[in-house]
Amino acid sequence: MTSLSVHTHSPSTQGDMAFNLIILSLTELLSLGGLLGNGVTLWLLNQNVYRNPFSIYLLDVACADLIFLCCHMVAIIPELLQDQLNFPEFVHTSLIMLRFFCYIVDLSLLAAISTEQCLATLFPAWYLCRRPRYLTTCVCALIWVLCLLLDLLLSGACTQFFGTPSYLLCDMLWLVVAVLLAALCCTMCVTSLLLLLRVERGPERHQPRGFPTLVLLAVLLFLFCGLPFGIFWLSKNLSWHTPLYFYHFSFFMASVHSAAKPAIYFFLGSTPGQRFREPLRLVLQRALGDEAELGAGREASQGGLVDMTV
């Protein structure tokens, strides 16, 4: 039966139970670290540490990751220890709904970031002069609203959360999700490839990379760590066959994906030899836009335009 809820085989041996406990422990520890990292990132960005269009994207990404990890830490307990602990159906369904919603929001935001950074890098003069002032805010708001609508439709059609489910509509919606996931992944891959070629072959290829490198690493992180979780959801709801261990693997890698982003921000923004000694505010500011790369953009933006990486 197709639904948002996850039903797995109960652990049949002590070895299966031990493996589930190991995965659960690693996922919980990693998620706790991710909560701390994303919380710090969210706090710093909310303090106007460095106000440019991309800081708004990262603030939304940190918010989505924070909510995802909170739900993920609780939801995986009955999913991995099904015979040991069960939550009320309403609570479990709510957690799964919210977790999937944040996953789609995160993916959509990453696609938007890579696309806008690609435009900013390929067409810097045009982008600085013609970019609508509130484009980033509008894009982020639209992503949250559309993803919420999709999540509510899935919940209404595939679960008993809002009444009797419609399995025909549910199957159609999951096909839409599959197309959406493929389209967003292709968008990220194409824009990241163009960005990589521009960074490596551009006239300033020997300069510090700054935010474009951050975007490339975030896209790679999703493809290797975040994508398995999306494939898991599609396989469960479209009746694709996947090994049981892929199910556990996708849960763990989903935590890696959401928890590792703050580490990337602070690693790229820190100065070699000065790590753990610089203020986090300065480190995050440098990750959002390296001083060497922002020189031309700042000269053009002194009249009131926001600073951005070009």
PDB file of all heavy atoms in Angstrom, residues 23 27 68 72 76 79 99 103 224-233 235-236 242-257:
ATOM      1  N   ILE A  23      23.216   1.956  13.668  1.00  0.00           N
ATOM      2  CA  ILE A  23      22.763   3.008  12.745  1.00  0.00           C
ATOM      3  C   ILE A  23      21.999   4.092  13.498  1.00  0.00           C
ATOM      4  O   ILE A  23      22.196   5.303  13.264  1.00  0.00           O
ATOM      5  CB  ILE A  23      21.874   2.402  11.638  1.00  0.00           C
ATOM      6  CG1 ILE A  23      22.709   1.507  10.712  1.00  0.00           C
ATOM      7  CG2 ILE A  23      21.216   3.516  10.812  1.00  0.00           C
ATOM      8  CD1 ILE A  23      23.765   2.236   9.925  1.00  0.00           C
ATOM      9  N   THR A  27      23.258   7.934  13.779  1.00  0.00           N
ATOM     10  CA  THR A  27      22.382   8.958  13.213  1.00  0.00           C
ATOM     11  C   THR A  27      21.995   9.991  14.273  1.00  0.00           C
ATOM     12  O   THR A  27      21.983  11.198  14.007  1.00  0.00           O
ATOM     13  CB  THR A  27      21.111   8.311  12.638  1.00  0.00           C
ATOM     14  OG1 THR A  27      21.489   7.347  11.641  1.00  0.00           O
ATOM     15  CG2 THR A  27      20.212   9.352  11.993  1.00  0.00           C
ATOM     16  N   PHE A  68      14.383  19.510   9.752  1.00  0.00           N
ATOM     17  CA  PHE A  68      14.532  18.139   9.257  1.00  0.00           C
ATOM     18  C   PHE A  68      15.211  17.258  10.299  1.00  0.00           C
ATOM     19  O   PHE A  68      14.753  16.143  10.580  1.00  0.00           O
ATOM     20  CB  PHE A  68      15.350  18.144   7.964  1.00  0.00           C
ATOM     21  CG  PHE A  68      15.625  16.769   7.420  1.00  0.00           C
ATOM     22  CD1 PHE A  68      14.734  16.160   6.555  1.00  0.00           C
ATOM     23  CD2 PHE A  68      16.775  16.077   7.782  1.00  0.00           C
ATOM     24  CE1 PHE A  68      14.977  14.880   6.054  1.00  0.00           C
ATOM     25  CE2 PHE A  68      17.030  14.801   7.301  1.00  0.00           C
ATOM     26  CZ  PHE A  68      16.131  14.198   6.428  1.00  0.00           C
ATOM     27  N   HIS A  72      13.797  14.045  12.097  1.00  0.00           N
ATOM     28  CA  HIS A  72      14.500  12.814  11.736  1.00  0.00           C
ATOM     29  C   HIS A  72      14.953  12.052  12.974  1.00  0.00           C
ATOM     30  O   HIS A  72      14.840  10.820  13.034  1.00  0.00           O
ATOM     31  CB  HIS A  72      15.708  13.182  10.874  1.00  0.00           C
ATOM     32  CG  HIS A  72      16.332  12.012  10.173  1.00  0.00           C
ATOM     33  ND1 HIS A  72      15.619  11.145   9.377  1.00  0.00           N
ATOM     34  CD2 HIS A  72      17.621  11.559  10.158  1.00  0.00           C
ATOM     35  CE1 HIS A  72      16.436  10.228   8.882  1.00  0.00           C
ATOM     36  NE2 HIS A  72      17.645  10.453   9.351  1.00  0.00           N
ATOM     37  N   ILE A  76      13.036   8.247  13.253  1.00  0.00           N
ATOM     38  CA  ILE A  76      13.750   7.002  12.937  1.00  0.00           C
ATOM     39  C   ILE A  76      13.735   6.005  14.089  1.00  0.00           C
ATOM     40  O   ILE A  76      14.041   4.827  13.880  1.00  0.00           O
ATOM     41  CB  ILE A  76      15.209   7.277  12.529  1.00  0.00           C
ATOM     42  CG1 ILE A  76      16.002   7.861  13.697  1.00  0.00           C
ATOM     43  CG2 ILE A  76      15.294   8.155  11.310  1.00  0.00           C
ATOM     44  CD1 ILE A  76      17.488   7.914  13.448  1.00  0.00           C
ATOM     45  N   GLU A  79      11.050   3.566  13.459  1.00  0.00           N
ATOM     46  CA  GLU A  79      11.279   2.983  12.140  1.00  0.00           C
ATOM     47  C   GLU A  79      12.402   1.949  12.170  1.00  0.00           C
ATOM     48  O   GLU A  79      12.373   0.969  11.419  1.00  0.00           O
ATOM     49  CB  GLU A  79      11.588   4.085  11.129  1.00  0.00           C
ATOM     50  CG  GLU A  79      10.360   4.954  10.827  1.00  0.00           C
ATOM     51  CD  GLU A  79      10.684   6.169   9.988  1.00  0.00           C
ATOM     52  OE1 GLU A  79      11.871   6.372   9.686  1.00  0.00           O
ATOM     53  OE2 GLU A  79       9.750   6.925   9.649  1.00  0.00           O
ATOM     54  N   ARG A  99       9.163  16.045   7.935  1.00  0.00           N
ATOM     55  CA  ARG A  99      10.511  15.687   7.492  1.00  0.00           C
ATOM     56  C   ARG A  99      10.609  15.690   5.970  1.00  0.00           C
ATOM     57  O   ARG A  99      11.571  16.235   5.404  1.00  0.00           O
ATOM     58  CB  ARG A  99      10.883  14.307   8.042  1.00  0.00           C
ATOM     59  CG  ARG A  99      12.279  13.849   7.669  1.00  0.00           C
ATOM     60  CD  ARG A  99      12.613  12.512   8.298  1.00  0.00           C
ATOM     61  NE  ARG A  99      11.705  11.451   7.883  1.00  0.00           N
ATOM     62  CZ  ARG A  99      11.857  10.166   8.221  1.00  0.00           C
ATOM     63  NH1 ARG A  99      12.862   9.802   8.998  1.00  0.00           N
ATOM     64  NH2 ARG A  99      11.003   9.268   7.804  1.00  0.00           N
ATOM     65  N   TYR A 103      12.826  18.194   3.468  1.00  0.00           N
ATOM     66  CA  TYR A 103      13.758  17.611   2.492  1.00  0.00           C
ATOM     67  C   TYR A 103      13.546  18.225   1.107  1.00  0.00           C
ATOM     68  O   TYR A 103      14.511  18.601   0.426  1.00  0.00           O
ATOM     69  CB  TYR A 103      13.555  16.099   2.442  1.00  0.00           C
ATOM     70  CG  TYR A 103      14.395  15.411   1.387  1.00  0.00           C
ATOM     71  CD1 TYR A 103      15.733  15.101   1.622  1.00  0.00           C
ATOM     72  CD2 TYR A 103      13.841  15.066   0.149  1.00  0.00           C
ATOM     73  CE1 TYR A 103      16.501  14.468   0.652  1.00  0.00           C
ATOM     74  CE2 TYR A 103      14.602  14.442  -0.822  1.00  0.00           C
ATOM     75  CZ  TYR A 103      15.932  14.147  -0.566  1.00  0.00           C
ATOM     76  OH  TYR A 103      16.694  13.537  -1.535  1.00  0.00           O
ATOM     77  N   PHE A 224      25.717  12.909  -3.145  1.00  0.00           N
ATOM     78  CA  PHE A 224      26.277  11.706  -2.527  1.00  0.00           C
ATOM     79  C   PHE A 224      25.581  11.333  -1.216  1.00  0.00           C
ATOM     80  O   PHE A 224      25.571  10.152  -0.848  1.00  0.00           O
ATOM     81  CB  PHE A 224      27.773  11.889  -2.276  1.00  0.00           C
ATOM     82  CG  PHE A 224      28.607  11.813  -3.516  1.00  0.00           C
ATOM     83  CD1 PHE A 224      29.067  12.960  -4.132  1.00  0.00           C
ATOM     84  CD2 PHE A 224      28.915  10.587  -4.098  1.00  0.00           C
ATOM     85  CE1 PHE A 224      29.831  12.899  -5.288  1.00  0.00           C
ATOM     86  CE2 PHE A 224      29.673  10.514  -5.252  1.00  0.00           C
ATOM     87  CZ  PHE A 224      30.132  11.672  -5.856  1.00  0.00           C
ATOM     88  N   CYS A 225      25.040  12.317  -0.513  1.00  0.00           N
ATOM     89  CA  CYS A 225      24.485  12.044   0.816  1.00  0.00           C
ATOM     90  C   CYS A 225      22.980  12.279   0.904  1.00  0.00           C
ATOM     91  O   CYS A 225      22.283  11.542   1.604  1.00  0.00           O
ATOM     92  CB  CYS A 225      25.193  12.908   1.869  1.00  0.00           C
ATOM     93  SG  CYS A 225      26.975  12.622   1.984  1.00  0.00           S
ATOM     94  N   GLY A 226      22.471  13.305   0.238  1.00  0.00           N
ATOM     95  CA  GLY A 226      21.047  13.611   0.342  1.00  0.00           C
ATOM     96  C   GLY A 226      20.173  12.860  -0.641  1.00  0.00           C
ATOM     97  O   GLY A 226      19.028  12.523  -0.342  1.00  0.00           O
ATOM     98  N   LEU A 227      20.711  12.568  -1.829  1.00  0.00           N
ATOM     99  CA  LEU A 227      19.915  11.909  -2.867  1.00  0.00           C
ATOM    100  C   LEU A 227      19.438  10.510  -2.469  1.00  0.00           C
ATOM    101  O   LEU A 227      18.297  10.139  -2.808  1.00  0.00           O
ATOM    102  CB  LEU A 227      20.713  11.845  -4.172  1.00  0.00           C
ATOM    103  CG  LEU A 227      19.986  11.316  -5.400  1.00  0.00           C
ATOM    104  CD1 LEU A 227      18.730  12.135  -5.678  1.00  0.00           C
ATOM    105  CD2 LEU A 227      20.904  11.315  -6.618  1.00  0.00           C
ATOM    106  N   PRO A 228      20.244   9.679  -1.762  1.00  0.00           N
ATOM    107  CA  PRO A 228      19.742   8.354  -1.364  1.00  0.00           C
ATOM    108  C   PRO A 228      18.439   8.403  -0.566  1.00  0.00           C
ATOM    109  O   PRO A 228      17.603   7.510  -0.700  1.00  0.00           O
ATOM    110  CB  PRO A 228      20.896   7.785  -0.509  1.00  0.00           C
ATOM    111  CG  PRO A 228      22.108   8.439  -1.060  1.00  0.00           C
ATOM    112  CD  PRO A 228      21.673   9.827  -1.415  1.00  0.00           C
ATOM    113  N   PHE A 229      18.253   9.449   0.248  1.00  0.00           N
ATOM    114  CA  PHE A 229      17.018   9.561   1.019  1.00  0.00           C
ATOM    115  C   PHE A 229      15.824   9.786   0.089  1.00  0.00           C
ATOM    116  O   PHE A 229      14.745   9.225   0.309  1.00  0.00           O
ATOM    117  CB  PHE A 229      17.143  10.706   2.024  1.00  0.00           C
ATOM    118  CG  PHE A 229      16.022  10.769   3.022  1.00  0.00           C
ATOM    119  CD1 PHE A 229      15.933   9.827   4.033  1.00  0.00           C
ATOM    120  CD2 PHE A 229      15.062  11.763   2.958  1.00  0.00           C
ATOM    121  CE1 PHE A 229      14.899   9.874   4.967  1.00  0.00           C
ATOM    122  CE2 PHE A 229      14.028  11.819   3.885  1.00  0.00           C
ATOM    123  CZ  PHE A 229      13.954  10.868   4.890  1.00  0.00           C
ATOM    124  N   GLY A 230      15.999  10.587  -0.953  1.00  0.00           N
ATOM    125  CA  GLY A 230      14.927  10.794  -1.922  1.00  0.00           C
ATOM    126  C   GLY A 230      14.627   9.524  -2.699  1.00  0.00           C
ATOM    127  O   GLY A 230      13.459   9.205  -2.975  1.00  0.00           O
ATOM    128  N   ILE A 231      15.682   8.790  -3.072  1.00  0.00           N
ATOM    129  CA  ILE A 231      15.483   7.522  -3.785  1.00  0.00           C
ATOM    130  C   ILE A 231      14.751   6.521  -2.900  1.00  0.00           C
ATOM    131  O   ILE A 231      13.897   5.758  -3.361  1.00  0.00           O
ATOM    132  CB  ILE A 231      16.837   6.964  -4.241  1.00  0.00           C
ATOM    133  CG1 ILE A 231      17.471   7.902  -5.282  1.00  0.00           C
ATOM    134  CG2 ILE A 231      16.682   5.567  -4.821  1.00  0.00           C
ATOM    135  CD1 ILE A 231      18.864   7.498  -5.698  1.00  0.00           C
ATOM    136  N   PHE A 232      15.085   6.523  -1.607  1.00  0.00           N
ATOM    137  CA  PHE A 232      14.397   5.643  -0.665  1.00  0.00           C
ATOM    138  C   PHE A 232      12.897   5.931  -0.653  1.00  0.00           C
ATOM    139  O   PHE A 232      12.063   5.020  -0.718  1.00  0.00           O
ATOM    140  CB  PHE A 232      14.987   5.812   0.734  1.00  0.00           C
ATOM    141  CG  PHE A 232      14.036   5.435   1.832  1.00  0.00           C
ATOM    142  CD1 PHE A 232      13.732   4.110   2.079  1.00  0.00           C
ATOM    143  CD2 PHE A 232      13.423   6.410   2.607  1.00  0.00           C
ATOM    144  CE1 PHE A 232      12.838   3.764   3.077  1.00  0.00           C
ATOM    145  CE2 PHE A 232      12.541   6.071   3.604  1.00  0.00           C
ATOM    146  CZ  PHE A 232      12.237   4.747   3.841  1.00  0.00           C
ATOM    147  N   TRP A 233      12.516   7.210  -0.584  1.00  0.00           N
ATOM    148  CA  TRP A 233      11.097   7.556  -0.551  1.00  0.00           C
ATOM    149  C   TRP A 233      10.391   7.134  -1.831  1.00  0.00           C
ATOM    150  O   TRP A 233       9.275   6.614  -1.794  1.00  0.00           O
ATOM    151  CB  TRP A 233      10.943   9.073  -0.339  1.00  0.00           C
ATOM    152  CG  TRP A 233      10.989   9.453   1.101  1.00  0.00           C
ATOM    153  CD1 TRP A 233      11.968  10.116   1.758  1.00  0.00           C
ATOM    154  CD2 TRP A 233       9.996   9.172   2.089  1.00  0.00           C
ATOM    155  NE1 TRP A 233      11.675  10.270   3.078  1.00  0.00           N
ATOM    156  CE2 TRP A 233      10.452   9.693   3.312  1.00  0.00           C
ATOM    157  CE3 TRP A 233       8.759   8.530   2.058  1.00  0.00           C
ATOM    158  CZ2 TRP A 233       9.725   9.597   4.492  1.00  0.00           C
ATOM    159  CZ3 TRP A 233       8.024   8.427   3.234  1.00  0.00           C
ATOM    160  CH2 TRP A 233       8.516   8.965   4.430  1.00  0.00           C
ATOM    161  N   SER A 235      11.318   4.713  -3.868  1.00  0.00           N
ATOM    162  CA  SER A 235      11.268   3.252  -3.945  1.00  0.00           C
ATOM    163  C   SER A 235      10.166   2.682  -3.059  1.00  0.00           C
ATOM    164  O   SER A 235       9.495   1.703  -3.425  1.00  0.00           O
ATOM    165  CB  SER A 235      12.625   2.662  -3.543  1.00  0.00           C
ATOM    166  OG  SER A 235      12.906   2.907  -2.171  1.00  0.00           O
ATOM    167  N   LYS A 236       9.954   3.293  -1.904  1.00  0.00           N
ATOM    168  CA  LYS A 236       8.914   2.810  -1.003  1.00  0.00           C
ATOM    169  C   LYS A 236       7.514   3.087  -1.545  1.00  0.00           C
ATOM    170  O   LYS A 236       6.600   2.270  -1.386  1.00  0.00           O
ATOM    171  CB  LYS A 236       9.068   3.466   0.374  1.00  0.00           C
ATOM    172  CG  LYS A 236      10.130   2.838   1.252  1.00  0.00           C
ATOM    173  CD  LYS A 236       9.724   1.429   1.620  1.00  0.00           C
ATOM    174  CE  LYS A 236      10.801   0.743   2.439  1.00  0.00           C
ATOM    175  NZ  LYS A 236      10.415  -0.654   2.761  1.00  0.00           N
ATOM    176  N   THR A 242      14.497  -2.255  -3.533  1.00  0.00           N
ATOM    177  CA  THR A 242      15.811  -1.813  -3.049  1.00  0.00           C
ATOM    178  C   THR A 242      16.229  -2.718  -1.905  1.00  0.00           C
ATOM    179  O   THR A 242      15.375  -3.205  -1.145  1.00  0.00           O
ATOM    180  CB  THR A 242      15.775  -0.358  -2.545  1.00  0.00           C
ATOM    181  OG1 THR A 242      14.743  -0.226  -1.573  1.00  0.00           O
ATOM    182  CG2 THR A 242      15.540   0.616  -3.682  1.00  0.00           C
ATOM    183  N   PRO A 243      17.531  -2.958  -1.751  1.00  0.00           N
ATOM    184  CA  PRO A 243      18.003  -3.786  -0.635  1.00  0.00           C
ATOM    185  C   PRO A 243      17.631  -3.156   0.707  1.00  0.00           C
ATOM    186  O   PRO A 243      17.531  -1.939   0.840  1.00  0.00           O
ATOM    187  CB  PRO A 243      19.525  -3.818  -0.828  1.00  0.00           C
ATOM    188  CG  PRO A 243      19.744  -3.441  -2.253  1.00  0.00           C
ATOM    189  CD  PRO A 243      18.628  -2.519  -2.620  1.00  0.00           C
ATOM    190  N   LEU A 244      17.439  -4.019   1.705  1.00  0.00           N
ATOM    191  CA  LEU A 244      17.062  -3.531   3.026  1.00  0.00           C
ATOM    192  C   LEU A 244      18.130  -2.614   3.604  1.00  0.00           C
ATOM    193  O   LEU A 244      17.817  -1.613   4.265  1.00  0.00           O
ATOM    194  CB  LEU A 244      16.821  -4.719   3.965  1.00  0.00           C
ATOM    195  CG  LEU A 244      16.401  -4.358   5.404  1.00  0.00           C
ATOM    196  CD1 LEU A 244      15.093  -3.576   5.390  1.00  0.00           C
ATOM    197  CD2 LEU A 244      16.264  -5.621   6.241  1.00  0.00           C
ATOM    198  N   TYR A 245      19.405  -2.909   3.330  1.00  0.00           N
ATOM    199  CA  TYR A 245      20.472  -2.088   3.895  1.00  0.00           C
ATOM    200  C   TYR A 245      20.511  -0.682   3.280  1.00  0.00           C
ATOM    201  O   TYR A 245      21.017   0.240   3.906  1.00  0.00           O
ATOM    202  CB  TYR A 245      21.826  -2.786   3.706  1.00  0.00           C
ATOM    203  CG  TYR A 245      22.010  -3.943   4.663  1.00  0.00           C
ATOM    204  CD1 TYR A 245      21.893  -5.256   4.229  1.00  0.00           C
ATOM    205  CD2 TYR A 245      22.277  -3.709   6.011  1.00  0.00           C
ATOM    206  CE1 TYR A 245      22.040  -6.317   5.108  1.00  0.00           C
ATOM    207  CE2 TYR A 245      22.430  -4.764   6.900  1.00  0.00           C
ATOM    208  CZ  TYR A 245      22.306  -6.062   6.446  1.00  0.00           C
ATOM    209  OH  TYR A 245      22.454  -7.105   7.327  1.00  0.00           O
ATOM    210  N   PHE A 246      19.987  -0.544   2.077  1.00  0.00           N
ATOM    211  CA  PHE A 246      19.909   0.793   1.492  1.00  0.00           C
ATOM    212  C   PHE A 246      18.973   1.683   2.300  1.00  0.00           C
ATOM    213  O   PHE A 246      19.177   2.899   2.394  1.00  0.00           O
ATOM    214  CB  PHE A 246      19.426   0.707   0.040  1.00  0.00           C
ATOM    215  CG  PHE A 246      19.318   2.039  -0.643  1.00  0.00           C
ATOM    216  CD1 PHE A 246      20.442   2.669  -1.147  1.00  0.00           C
ATOM    217  CD2 PHE A 246      18.084   2.683  -0.768  1.00  0.00           C
ATOM    218  CE1 PHE A 246      20.355   3.910  -1.766  1.00  0.00           C
ATOM    219  CE2 PHE A 246      17.981   3.917  -1.380  1.00  0.00           C
ATOM    220  CZ  PHE A 246      19.133   4.529  -1.877  1.00  0.00           C
ATOM    221  N   TYR A 247      17.962   1.070   2.879  1.00  0.00           N
ATOM    222  CA  TYR A 247      17.017   1.785   3.734  1.00  0.00           C
ATOM    223  C   TYR A 247      17.749   2.400   4.927  1.00  0.00           C
ATOM    224  O   TYR A 247      17.608   3.584   5.229  1.00  0.00           O
ATOM    225  CB  TYR A 247      15.954   0.780   4.175  1.00  0.00           C
ATOM    226  CG  TYR A 247      15.120   1.168   5.359  1.00  0.00           C
ATOM    227  CD1 TYR A 247      14.111   2.103   5.234  1.00  0.00           C
ATOM    228  CD2 TYR A 247      15.316   0.561   6.594  1.00  0.00           C
ATOM    229  CE1 TYR A 247      13.315   2.438   6.312  1.00  0.00           C
ATOM    230  CE2 TYR A 247      14.532   0.890   7.681  1.00  0.00           C
ATOM    231  CZ  TYR A 247      13.541   1.835   7.536  1.00  0.00           C
ATOM    232  OH  TYR A 247      12.763   2.163   8.604  1.00  0.00           O
ATOM    233  N   HIS A 248      18.581   1.611   5.618  1.00  0.00           N
ATOM    234  CA  HIS A 248      19.350   2.130   6.743  1.00  0.00           C
ATOM    235  C   HIS A 248      20.387   3.147   6.282  1.00  0.00           C
ATOM    236  O   HIS A 248      20.613   4.169   6.934  1.00  0.00           O
ATOM    237  CB  HIS A 248      20.049   0.973   7.477  1.00  0.00           C
ATOM    238  CG  HIS A 248      19.109  -0.089   7.946  1.00  0.00           C
ATOM    239  ND1 HIS A 248      18.805  -1.192   7.193  1.00  0.00           N
ATOM    240  CD2 HIS A 248      18.395  -0.211   9.102  1.00  0.00           C
ATOM    241  CE1 HIS A 248      17.957  -1.959   7.856  1.00  0.00           C
ATOM    242  NE2 HIS A 248      17.689  -1.392   9.013  1.00  0.00           N
ATOM    243  N   PHE A 249      21.026   2.851   5.160  1.00  0.00           N
ATOM    244  CA  PHE A 249      22.054   3.735   4.624  1.00  0.00           C
ATOM    245  C   PHE A 249      21.481   5.115   4.311  1.00  0.00           C
ATOM    246  O   PHE A 249      22.096   6.148   4.602  1.00  0.00           O
ATOM    247  CB  PHE A 249      22.641   3.095   3.360  1.00  0.00           C
ATOM    248  CG  PHE A 249      23.576   3.974   2.584  1.00  0.00           C
ATOM    249  CD1 PHE A 249      24.883   4.178   3.012  1.00  0.00           C
ATOM    250  CD2 PHE A 249      23.154   4.608   1.417  1.00  0.00           C
ATOM    251  CE1 PHE A 249      25.743   4.987   2.290  1.00  0.00           C
ATOM    252  CE2 PHE A 249      24.005   5.420   0.694  1.00  0.00           C
ATOM    253  CZ  PHE A 249      25.309   5.605   1.134  1.00  0.00           C
ATOM    254  N   SER A 250      20.281   5.150   3.725  1.00  0.00           N
ATOM    255  CA  SER A 250      19.683   6.430   3.350  1.00  0.00           C
ATOM    256  C   SER A 250      19.353   7.267   4.580  1.00  0.00           C
ATOM    257  O   SER A 250      19.479   8.494   4.554  1.00  0.00           O
ATOM    258  CB  SER A 250      18.425   6.199   2.516  1.00  0.00           C
ATOM    259  OG  SER A 250      17.396   5.598   3.278  1.00  0.00           O
ATOM    260  N   PHE A 251      18.940   6.636   5.672  1.00  0.00           N
ATOM    261  CA  PHE A 251      18.647   7.373   6.900  1.00  0.00           C
ATOM    262  C   PHE A 251      19.912   8.030   7.450  1.00  0.00           C
ATOM    263  O   PHE A 251      19.901   9.194   7.842  1.00  0.00           O
ATOM    264  CB  PHE A 251      18.066   6.423   7.950  1.00  0.00           C
ATOM    265  CG  PHE A 251      16.586   6.256   7.840  1.00  0.00           C
ATOM    266  CD1 PHE A 251      15.892   6.685   6.720  1.00  0.00           C
ATOM    267  CD2 PHE A 251      15.875   5.667   8.860  1.00  0.00           C
ATOM    268  CE1 PHE A 251      14.526   6.537   6.618  1.00  0.00           C
ATOM    269  CE2 PHE A 251      14.505   5.518   8.775  1.00  0.00           C
ATOM    270  CZ  PHE A 251      13.827   5.938   7.652  1.00  0.00           C
ATOM    271  N   PHE A 252      20.991   7.269   7.482  1.00  0.00           N
ATOM    272  CA  PHE A 252      22.241   7.804   8.017  1.00  0.00           C
ATOM    273  C   PHE A 252      22.787   8.918   7.132  1.00  0.00           C
ATOM    274  O   PHE A 252      23.207   9.972   7.618  1.00  0.00           O
ATOM    275  CB  PHE A 252      23.266   6.679   8.145  1.00  0.00           C
ATOM    276  CG  PHE A 252      24.628   7.144   8.587  1.00  0.00           C
ATOM    277  CD1 PHE A 252      24.832   7.605   9.871  1.00  0.00           C
ATOM    278  CD2 PHE A 252      25.694   7.147   7.704  1.00  0.00           C
ATOM    279  CE1 PHE A 252      26.079   8.056  10.282  1.00  0.00           C
ATOM    280  CE2 PHE A 252      26.939   7.593   8.103  1.00  0.00           C
ATOM    281  CZ  PHE A 252      27.130   8.045   9.402  1.00  0.00           C
ATOM    282  N   MET A 253      22.765   8.710   5.808  1.00  0.00           N
ATOM    283  CA  MET A 253      23.308   9.708   4.902  1.00  0.00           C
ATOM    284  C   MET A 253      22.455  10.978   4.874  1.00  0.00           C
ATOM    285  O   MET A 253      22.973  12.067   4.613  1.00  0.00           O
ATOM    286  CB  MET A 253      23.415   9.130   3.489  1.00  0.00           C
ATOM    287  CG  MET A 253      24.382   7.965   3.373  1.00  0.00           C
ATOM    288  SD  MET A 253      26.011   8.308   4.067  1.00  0.00           S
ATOM    289  CE  MET A 253      26.650   9.475   2.873  1.00  0.00           C
ATOM    290  N   ALA A 254      21.156  10.854   5.156  1.00  0.00           N
ATOM    291  CA  ALA A 254      20.320  12.053   5.252  1.00  0.00           C
ATOM    292  C   ALA A 254      20.782  12.935   6.402  1.00  0.00           C
ATOM    293  O   ALA A 254      20.792  14.168   6.293  1.00  0.00           O
ATOM    294  CB  ALA A 254      18.858  11.655   5.446  1.00  0.00           C
ATOM    295  N   SER A 255      21.202  12.321   7.498  1.00  0.00           N
ATOM    296  CA  SER A 255      21.752  13.092   8.621  1.00  0.00           C
ATOM    297  C   SER A 255      23.073  13.732   8.247  1.00  0.00           C
ATOM    298  O   SER A 255      23.338  14.883   8.615  1.00  0.00           O
ATOM    299  CB  SER A 255      21.939  12.185   9.842  1.00  0.00           C
ATOM    300  OG  SER A 255      20.704  11.711  10.310  1.00  0.00           O
ATOM    301  N   VAL A 256      23.901  12.997   7.511  1.00  0.00           N
ATOM    302  CA  VAL A 256      25.179  13.556   7.060  1.00  0.00           C
ATOM    303  C   VAL A 256      24.941  14.784   6.196  1.00  0.00           C
ATOM    304  O   VAL A 256      25.604  15.824   6.349  1.00  0.00           O
ATOM    305  CB  VAL A 256      25.992  12.503   6.274  1.00  0.00           C
ATOM    306  CG1 VAL A 256      27.247  13.125   5.680  1.00  0.00           C
ATOM    307  CG2 VAL A 256      26.361  11.338   7.173  1.00  0.00           C
ATOM    308  N   HIS A 257      23.976  14.690   5.294  1.00  0.00           N
ATOM    309  CA  HIS A 257      23.693  15.789   4.378  1.00  0.00           C
ATOM    310  C   HIS A 257      23.291  17.060   5.118  1.00  0.00           C
ATOM    311  O   HIS A 257      23.784  18.152   4.825  1.00  0.00           O
ATOM    312  CB  HIS A 257      22.584  15.380   3.410  1.00  0.00           C
ATOM    313  CG  HIS A 257      22.097  16.478   2.542  1.00  0.00           C
ATOM    314  ND1 HIS A 257      20.796  16.953   2.578  1.00  0.00           N
ATOM    315  CD2 HIS A 257      22.728  17.237   1.600  1.00  0.00           C
ATOM    316  CE1 HIS A 257      20.659  17.930   1.716  1.00  0.00           C
ATOM    317  NE2 HIS A 257      21.804  18.126   1.100  1.00  0.00           N
TER     318      HIS A 257
END
